[in-house]
Amino acid sequence: MRALMTAVCVAAAAWSPAAGIATDAVAPPFAVTVEVDAARDVGAVTDEWRFFGADEPNYATMKDGRTTLATLGALAPDRVYFRTHNLLTSGDGTPALKWGSTGVYREDAQGRPIYDWTIVDRIFDTYRARGVKPYVELGFMPEALSTRPQPYQHDWRPGSGTLRTGWAYPPRDYARWEELIHQWVRHCVERYGRAEVASWYFETWNEANLPQYYWGGTREEFFRLHDAAVRGVRRALPEARVGGPDSAGAGDDFLSAFMAHARAAGTPTDFLSFHAKGQPSVIEDGAGRHVRMGLSTHLHAADHEFAAIAADPMFRTKPIVIGESDPEGCAACQGPANAYRNGTMYASYTAASFPRLRALAERRQLKLEGILSWAFEFEDQPPFAGFRQLTSAGIDLPVMNVFKLFAKMSGRYVRAASDHQVALDAALADGVRASPDVGTVASRDGDRVAVLVWHYHDDDVAGPEAAVRVRLRGLPRAFARGATLAHYRVDATHANSFAAWQAMGSPIAPSDAQRAALLKAAALAPDEAAPTRVAVARGGAEVAFRLPRQGVTLLVLTPAGTPR
């Protein structure tokens, strides 16, 4: 969350960059060479990108929420996970920014618990019908259990209001809290089946190390809350996957203290989770007023937590989920520093950050299982309103198309190197503030080879294109008669609904015809202008193309004569 939560936020329409970075009309393209050895295996493709989440649970069952979930589920059916706040919050299910509710718990006049799973069932049913699984956050506190119930629902709005109200406090009765969790998990087992629920993740609360926002108790009270929740889960389903603490990557010792507590208390811990965020800003310089991203801040936050885990002999072998991993800390806040979201800046940042987070974990010999993007959709908002989201009014944004590119990489990673990729330590120390970052990863799945290339810079200003030449070697024998190429692009003129909307004059209420055009512009499809056949000689091939600044591209090569 960070201090960004309290910043004064204004409508995104007040200042917005171009939909994609236009090519500098003066500077010529610069040459980039990418080398790919398809015969050199460097490890399994682990699909860390398959995790998503949002503050507002009730959006999932609404029209655009259902559509967005269906898109996510189709990327990797039954392997995509969704995490949300407020699954246990009291209320009637009416959503608001950073708010939602399910009304699962109340008490009668004699103080006896009354459980009602109607709304939360509807949410999970919506996930499962679209091939998405719950990453279950056990929170927040029902009104009847809160030690400080009033006021209960917060009055937070972007730039004003108090976020931490009655929902954020410890329970007045830890036994009742444990029993609530137990009853809920038991109900889920009955409704969805034992094996299904055992495949979910269960963790307690959110960012309990940020007392000004999400937790009104002490650290010790959170640990007690967590232990009780885990007992409740495991009583209902002994094989359930439990972990935590989904703490904010604030540079503190919270995660180390959590591990020490779990060790001393003997609390089962199947995975560890924490959050890592960047910090964009608005820069005034010779290039004018523009957004500067905070990739270094993001990577530092993650590496601090990785270091804490690596230093603990008991926990360093546990799977890790970065339970929120984003360019900044407030999806529901708008404003100039967040104006990167609608266009290709967010897309290229995503492409450039995920491989580096994986590399940081690998360097410390840790198992990074998931990188969760805290981005979903905001229902019934103006088009391209400036929230951090994957879709706007049911229309895919460029960043969603990067996840579609990720989903096309499978099998095993193979060696890939770019002579213009910013080194890991340089990105960790300084981000990408000097030369642009033209980076790559590649994979092979049988006779299918995929090469992802991104062109990223922290500064959202115009710059020259990269003239990229991909040199492949070690292609399987099946390529002896040549290769079929599918070339996917996400840039200012490809798979970019925001650019199309701006070209229409930014209509606040697109007509049916305009909406149809936006959906078409958002679609990710092979570039029809790109060559579809590539010559192969002695297991080698070359593909050349131009990649605009803040563009992302994927080459998929298959043996000639096979389907793409």
Side-chain angles (χ1 to χ4, degrees):
M1 292 293 302
R2 291 193 178 84
L4 188 63
M5 276 287 299
T6 57
V8 175
C9 300
V10 298
W15 180 74
S16 177
I21 299 300
T23 301
D24 191 312
V26 177
F30 60 96
V32 176
T33 300
V34 172
E35 301 278 357
V36 177
D37 187 347
R40 185 155 175 192
D41 186 318
V42 293
V45 174
T46 47
D47 295 340
E48 297 95 347
W49 57 266
R50 300 169 293 115
F51 296 74
F52 302 90
D55 292 70
E56 303 86 1
N58 308 102
Y59 286 163
T61 61
M62 300 175 75
K63 61 183 188 307
D64 295 335
R66 296 193 300 269
T67 299
T68 305
L69 280 172
T71 300
L72 294 177
L75 298 178
D78 285 330
R79 296 192 301 115
V80 170
Y81 286 86
F82 198 87
R83 174 178 181 256
T84 183
H85 301 336
N86 294 299
L87 286 173
L88 299 177
T89 304
S90 296
D92 62 3
T94 301
L97 294 181
K98 299 189 74 64
W99 178 259
S101 59
T102 62
V104 297
Y105 183 89
R106 64 186 191 277
E107 294 176 359
D108 66 14
Q110 288 73 46
R112 291 172 297 201
I114 300 173
Y115 304 109
D116 185 348
W117 315 118
T118 305
I119 295 175
V120 74
D121 281 351
R122 188 180 306 134
I123 292 168
F124 283 4
D125 288 353
T126 303
Y127 294 175
R128 295 306 300 123
R130 289 156 182 81
V132 174
K133 290 177 180 281
Y135 180 116
V136 184
E137 179 186 309
L138 301 170
F140 293 122
M141 192 57 59
E143 185 173 4
L145 283 179
S146 176
T147 53
R148 188 174 169 181
Q150 297 301 321
Y152 186 71
Q153 181 172 350
H154 65 66
D155 63 352
W156 183 91
R157 291 169 175 81
S160 67
T162 299
L163 183 66
R164 193 190 73 182
T165 51
W167 58 269
Y169 284 85
R172 59 177 176 80
D173 186 325
Y174 284 88
R176 289 189 178 224
W177 166 255
E178 177 181 333
E179 186 62 18
L180 165 61
I181 303 303
H182 169 73
Q183 292 295 335
W184 184 26
V185 177
R186 188 174 75 170
H187 168 78
C188 288
V189 169
E190 293 171 353
R191 186 175 184 86
Y192 301 103
R194 191 179 193 98
E196 170 61 30
V197 179
S199 72
W200 301 356
Y201 293 78
F202 289 88
E203 58 88 11
T204 310
W205 221 256
N206 176 71
E207 297 183 345
N209 60 327
L210 297 184
Q212 67 271 42
Y213 298 127
Y214 285 103
W215 182 238
T218 65
R219 181 180 288 190
E220 290 69 28
E221 285 173 321
F222 169 73
F223 292 158
R224 185 180 178 190
L225 176 93
H226 173 76
D227 291 351
V230 170
R231 286 195 301 270
V233 173
R234 284 287 183 91
R235 280 171 49 211
L237 184 64
E239 66 269 33
R241 179 163 45 187
V242 295
D246 267 281
S247 51
D252 58 17
D253 67 346
F254 191 90
L255 183 57
S256 294
F258 173 84
M259 291 185 289
H261 165 79
R263 182 188 308 106
T267 307
T269 307
D270 299 311
F271 67 95
L272 294 169
S273 54
F274 63 83
H275 302 171
K277 308 279 185 172
Q279 191 171 18
S281 59
V282 175
I283 300 297
E284 297 271 6
D285 60 14
R289 189 174 190 232
H290 68 273
V291 172
R292 173 174 286 173
M293 304 298 284
L295 178 62
S296 173
T297 300
H298 191 167
L299 299 179
H300 267 293
D303 201 45
H304 180 273
E305 307 305 303
F306 285 151
I309 297 170
D312 192 303
M314 178 175 174
F315 287 97
R316 61 172 293 113
T317 60
K318 299 288 185 182
I320 299 166
V321 178
I322 306 179
E324 294 181 24
S325 179
D326 302 291
E328 37 68 35
C330 181
C333 297
Q334 299 157 295
N338 295 330
Y340 71 89
R341 293 167 167 176
N342 285 323
T344 55
M345 189 58 144
Y346 191 6
S348 59
Y349 182 100
T350 299
S353 60
F354 273 58
R356 289 187 165 96
L357 291 166
R358 183 172 63 247
L360 288 172
E362 288 175 348
R363 186 157 70 179
R364 295 188 183 276
Q365 299 180 301
L366 301 174
K367 181 182 179 182
L368 180 58
E369 190 161 280
I371 302 173
L372 192 150
S373 295
W374 198 251
F376 183 46
E377 66 95 19
F378 289 82
E379 200 78 21
D380 293 328
Q381 296 286 344
F384 307 99
F387 297 110
R388 191 175 70 235
Q389 55 190 358
L390 304 172
T391 66
S392 176
I395 300 167
D396 292 349
L397 295 176
V399 67
M400 176 69 94
N401 284 319
V402 169
F403 289 108
K404 294 178 186 177
L405 297 183
F406 286 165
K408 292 180 181 296
M409 303 190 75
S410 58
R412 310 283 296 182
Y413 287 117
V414 296
R415 185 186 180 280
S418 166
D419 62 4
H420 277 69
Q421 183 162 332
V422 174
L424 179 61
D425 284 329
L428 182 64
D430 301 313
V432 181
R433 303 290 172 86
S435 298
D437 174 45
V438 184
T440 187
V441 291
S443 66
R444 175 180 168 184
D445 194 347
D447 292 332
R448 182 179 180 276
V449 177
V451 183
L452 182 76
V453 184
W454 62 84
H455 182 177
Y456 173 74
H457 199 285
D458 275 347
D459 288 303
D460 196 9
V461 297
E465 291 183 328
V468 181
R469 184 171 299 277
V470 177
R471 296 175 175 169
L472 299 109
R473 64 178 182 272
L475 293 171
R477 289 184 179 180
F479 283 88
R481 297 175 60 185
T484 299
L485 171 66
H487 190 169
Y488 299 90
R489 298 176 182 267
V490 181
D491 56 35
T493 57
H494 297 86
N496 192 329
S497 57
F498 183 50
W501 179 71
Q502 288 189 316
M504 291 174 181
S506 306
I508 196 66
S511 66
D512 287 348
Q514 288 173 323
R515 180 174 175 80
L518 291 172
L519 288 167
K520 182 177 180 180
L524 180 71
D527 182 4
E528 294 180 358
T532 57
R533 292 295 298 271
V534 177
V536 176
R538 294 185 296 278
E542 286 194 3
V543 179
F545 56 90
R546 298 283 182 89
L547 185 59
R549 192 165 184 169
Q550 313 302 16
V552 185
T553 196
L554 182 74
L555 310 177
V556 179
L557 294 98
T558 51
T562 62
R564 289 190 294 175

